[in-house]
Amino acid sequence: MADQGGSQHGIARTSRVRSEEQKQRDLQRIQKYRELEDQVRSHVSRADYSPQLFQLTSKLLRLNPEYYTLWNVRRRCLISGLFSRPSAGSSCSTACSSTFPTATTTQSSTSCSSSSSATTPPAPGSPTAGRSGTTAEPGAAGAPSGTFASDDPAQAPAADSTDSATAAAAAAAAEQQDLATIQSELSFTIPLLLESPKCYWIWSYRQWILAQAIARLRPHVARQVWEAELGLASKMLGKDRRNFHAWGYRRHVVTQLESAALRGASMVEAEFEYTYRMIQTDLSNFSAWHSRSKLIPRLLDERGADDAARRAFLDKELNQIREALNVGPEDQSLWYYHQFLMLNLVDPDKHPAMTRGIAAGDRAAYLAREIDEIKELLEDYPDVKLIYEALFEYTLYLCQLEDRQPTADERADLAAWLAKLKELDPMRNGRWADLERECGL
Amino acid sequence: MEPLSDTLWDVVICGTGLQQSLLALALSRSGKKILHIDPNEFYGGAEAALSLQEAEQWVGRISSGTGGGLFRAAAVSRSEDDTRLSPSRAYSLALAPTVIHARSALLSQLVSSRAYRQVEFLAVGAFYIFKPPQDPAQKPTLARIPSTREEVFSTTAVATKSKRLLMKFLKFVLDYEASPQRELWQPHADAPLTDLLRQEFKMDAELQTYILTLTLSLDDRISTRDGLAVIHRHLSSMGVYGPGFAALYPKWGGLSEIAQVSCRAGAVGGAVYMLATGIKETESTDDGVKLLLTSGDSVKARMLVRADDSPNHNQLSIRRLVAVVDSPLSSLFEAAVEGAPKPAVAVIAFPVGSVEEASGTESQRPIYLSAHSSDTGECPAGQTDALDLALQAFLRAVPEDRVPKVLFKLQYDQLDGGSESLGSHGPVFTFPTRSSPLSFDDSVLEPVREVWKKMMGDAAVEAEYMVFEDREGAVDDDDVY
């Protein structure tokens, strides 16, 4: 069980009444934690980014994934040795002769250590790992300090770095090792994420590992890693649909998958469809609606939609949100999306995607229609304050659009709605009073 | 092992139906000397799941009049084309197909007693309603019944205004026991639910039918009080164990599996099990009872627990049909929403009047069909078992390329036992028997608890009923270190 240090992101830390036994157990745990910590500090102070240190970070991070310095130590361990080569932008697909920048140093470390390395490197993350006999070069902190003999020691690339066949084999083996390391690291973070799904440092580490995938692996290999990541993002969102970290992360993953580095293509249609599926599961999902709104401009551009198609699209979105409001008028996330659509109409310069071809008169008609539709909701939902707020706001939008003051009827309506708001939400009386004054009611 | 007759048993439990089996589970850590017998050669009693051969034998016994108990008019048939039927053991046809709602007390007991670890639960999917075709030339259809806000949002079968009425009702029911909701329905408590729906919620006939279906009741005149209770349980069960479903179904035969798991727990706790053994004679003694078993053994026990298997009136409780069809009916078993598990059971309701019977008249009572996919383990892949008199209508309504064929049919009537409550005469306790409704009725659990209390006497601690720790080795330790 992980004892967690810093802030908890909503995971309760209760102060429990402890028995003497529990207290002793806790003291032991604290002792063990401190010991691990001391060992880590000792290694770091000697710049000894060895497999031993790597193992220590595993243990300590399981106890406290919020301890971000440890994640940095772990990164250094990887760069210092567990990854097959420095990630100085070197591409694996080119001939290997050019990818050993510190060829002479690596030669020596390779030959030192080659005698004890196995043909298949053990997975770095496993408890029994300890790459026998291979350590990072001491004192080389900051500089890529040598590679592991991931290739067959008999090949000794140092001996013949211009032999492209050997070099290609070496590169392939190196890529395999890096892939294994990357996957092992990703696996390592999973149980930690399940326990602390909102811990920034774990996500940040994952992102770093994924970036390493792009840097070190060939595009189609890296792509597989990233596609699995999208699967993870979906799974996390399945568990907690409104985790906005997960939504932001998903957007990041999708952006990478679409990028040239991963030989990607646009995923905007699939992502748009995804937001709909999430909404079907739970209408009240701010992040899903937000994502949807962000995707629309690109979606329409990619479809090559003309003005008529864009208008049809707007109609469809309006119908859908109205259906949603029909069953969930108390839900603020729905009103936010509705308001987004209204703003598209009111301020087409700022939001041209759906409304650029719609004439001013038509836009006013749209608004007027929405106001009427919303008034219908009052038939069955007389006490939902968000309805009154929307009506109030949209009436003002309409006036703004038509560049006029409210009519007498409209003023009567506004006053009535404001009265209702005061009744339903007395806590915000100050705000209602302000509105009253501003509108001269 | 000493002979049965040498022991003074604390209890002899006769029958391995659900109630008796749950009692065995409840007593499994008590150290009591328990002899648990069943006249059948299989576990489960009236809740058993039978292979094809067992079904045929069971029908034979009922028809010959030797021990049908509460069952009558049983018949079985195979289609002529039965080469497509898999071997008998590939089937496990549940006699009492019952879905268990998430908020059911049965699940809480299975969890607290740790017996849930032995059961694999599957999701029960959408509830559908059968819609006869408007035009006789057309196919009938199945429409999903919406019971959450999201389902109401998605459905195209309900008009906008009706959706609002539906939402109002759903919200009302979710909190129906609080004020001011209570004041609204209390005056109608014993009147049919449909009255309330029409008068207070302004629902039209179609909407009323949807709501009635949510009760899964075979009585379309179900009272407001009962109807609201059942619908409340359904709504508050939605999403409890995952998105998109409200009820569970145990794999490998439903309640039969729960009975078996409970008996297994009883056996682990030291109970002795004997199948194909019934009671021939019962005699009162100073200590309790003396029983002559059909095996020839004579045993003495402090208590005897059995189920009531003699109806005292010939009023039909329920008529059932089990059918195996030659299609997987995949359209019924699709996951409803993102992240929802694939359901293994679907329920289709045929409201009053939706089926035209042979005589040309319309059906007078609601009919429910529960379709079980091969995921339930009850039939091989590529087949489903469905229960219904309106089976043929259903087979026409399902969106498939061709109308599926029936390969095997088992039909029977089931009566309720004569007594309404737990019978207790001296050392003999008799569980009241009711045919299991489509949705598990928690009231079945009460008599089990009562008998347990009597058995445990002063040692009975209510809070510890069905609450056990895992036995050693039962759980894998997933230790981080």
Side-chain angles (χ1 to χ4, degrees), chain A residues 32 62-63 274 277-284 320 323-324 326-327 330-331 376-377 379-381, chain B residues 149-155 159-161 163-165 167-168 171 243 336-339 479-481:
Chain A
K32 183 165 180 185
R62 282 194 193 105
L63 292 174
Y274 182 78
R277 286 206 306 273
M278 292 306 275
I279 286 158
Q280 270 190 315
T281 310
D282 183 0
L283 285 175
S284 177
Q320 190 180 83
E323 282 285 327
N326 191 42
V327 298
E330 68 287 337
D331 202 306
E376 241 191 70
L377 290 178
E379 268 174 42
D380 294 297
Y381 303 117
Chain B
R149 181 177 68 174
E150 281 68 30
E151 286 175 359
V152 178
F153 164 67
S154 301
T155 183
T160 305
K161 170 81 181 176
K163 284 193 184 187
R164 294 202 286 265
L165 297 176
M167 283 312 299
K168 269 169 90 164
K171 280 191 205 132
V337 289
E338 188 76 13
D479 221 7
V480 162
Y481 291 78

Side-chain angles (χ1 to χ4, degrees), chain A residues 189-407:
Chain A
T189 59
I190 293 283
L192 303 179
L193 279 174
L194 288 174
E195 256 194 64
S196 326
K198 292 185 179 176
C199 173
Y200 296 98
W201 314 113
I202 312 177
W203 287 106
S204 165
Y205 187 73
R206 261 192 105 79
Q207 284 179 286
W208 183 80
I209 293 285
L210 290 164
Q212 294 298 307
I214 296 186
R216 293 169 185 276
L217 307 173
R218 282 170 294 164
H220 70 276
V221 182
R223 195 178 172 83
Q224 279 173 6
V225 178
W226 279 85
E227 276 169 358
E229 195 65 11
L230 187 62
L232 174 73
S234 295
K235 212 167 164 191
M236 297 300 287
L237 282 172
K239 278 185 172 284
D240 182 1
R241 297 186 275 276
R242 300 165 110 201
N243 183 341
F244 64 82
H245 296 274
W247 279 99
Y249 192 69
R250 188 192 177 83
R251 277 193 284 275
H252 170 72
V253 172
V254 168
T255 308
Q256 295 302 312
L257 280 171
E258 290 175 328
S259 73
L262 290 175
R263 309 257 172 88
S266 170
M267 293 171 63
V268 76
E269 292 279 353
E271 284 304 290
F272 192 70
E273 179 55 32
Y274 182 78
T275 61
Y276 186 68
R277 286 206 306 273
M278 292 306 275
I279 286 158
Q280 270 190 315
T281 310
D282 183 0
L283 285 175
S284 177
N285 191 329
F286 290 85
S287 300
W289 288 110
H290 173 76
S291 236
R292 197 176 177 78
S293 69
K294 288 292 173 205
L295 290 168
I296 288 174
R298 239 180 77 200
L299 181 75
L300 290 172
D301 284 343
E302 277 182 29
R303 285 183 182 175
D306 60 9
D307 287 352
R310 285 169 189 269
R311 189 166 175 158
F313 185 88
L314 173 68
D315 289 333
K316 204 162 161 225
E317 286 299 297
L318 271 172
N319 281 335
Q320 190 180 83
I321 192 70
R322 238 184 277 119
E323 282 285 327
L325 284 167
N326 191 42
V327 298
E330 68 287 337
D331 202 306
Q332 194 163 52
S333 65
L334 303 176
W335 285 111
Y336 276 174
Y337 193 72
H338 190 266
Q339 188 185 44
F340 158 74
L341 295 174
M342 293 297 102
L343 286 172
N344 269 250
L345 287 163
V346 168
D347 201 348
D349 296 329
K350 230 169 125 187
H351 307 273
M354 293 181 275
T355 54
R356 61 181 195 206
I358 306 181
D362 286 349
R363 282 186 269 122
Y366 265 106
L367 234 78
R369 184 189 168 189
E370 286 309 301
I371 293 173
D372 284 338
E373 294 273 358
I374 296 169
K375 277 183 183 166
E376 241 191 70
L377 290 178
L378 289 176
E379 268 174 42
D380 294 297
Y381 303 117
D383 290 328
V384 176
K385 78 159 195 172
L386 292 172
I387 302 180
Y388 295 105
E389 279 195 60
L391 285 169
F392 197 95
E393 193 163 19
Y394 294 159
T395 306
L396 295 181
Y397 281 175
L398 181 58
C399 297
Q400 185 190 323
L401 203 58
E402 293 183 324
D403 202 9
R404 60 171 176 81
Q405 291 299 311
T407 65

Side-chain angles (χ1 to χ4, degrees), chain B residues 424-447:
Chain B
S424 116
H425 297 100
V428 181
F429 293 95
T430 310
F431 285 129
T433 43
R434 290 275 166 289
S435 61
S436 191
L438 186 49
S439 167
F440 185 78
D441 182 357
D442 282 345
S443 64
V444 156
L445 303 171
E446 258 320 295

Side-chain angles (χ1 to χ4, degrees), chain B residues 82-146:
Chain B
D82 75 34
T83 50
R84 277 183 304 155
L85 271 181
S86 302
S88 159
R89 287 246 148 251
Y91 297 90
S92 215
L93 306 178
L95 290 177
T98 300
V99 304
I100 307 172
H101 271 89
R103 292 283 182 210
S104 159
L106 176 60
L107 283 181
S108 324
Q109 288 183 4
L110 290 175
V111 169
S112 66
S113 65
R114 305 288 189 257
Y116 77 97
R117 291 195 195 279
Q118 311 281 323
V119 184
E120 193 177 330
F121 288 104
L122 303 169
V124 173
F127 288 5
Y128 292 86
I129 202 164
F130 174 86
K131 295 193 127 161
Q134 307 280 29
D135 177 344
Q138 293 210 316
K139 262 176 51 153
T141 50
L142 302 177
R144 280 182 118 107
I145 302 178

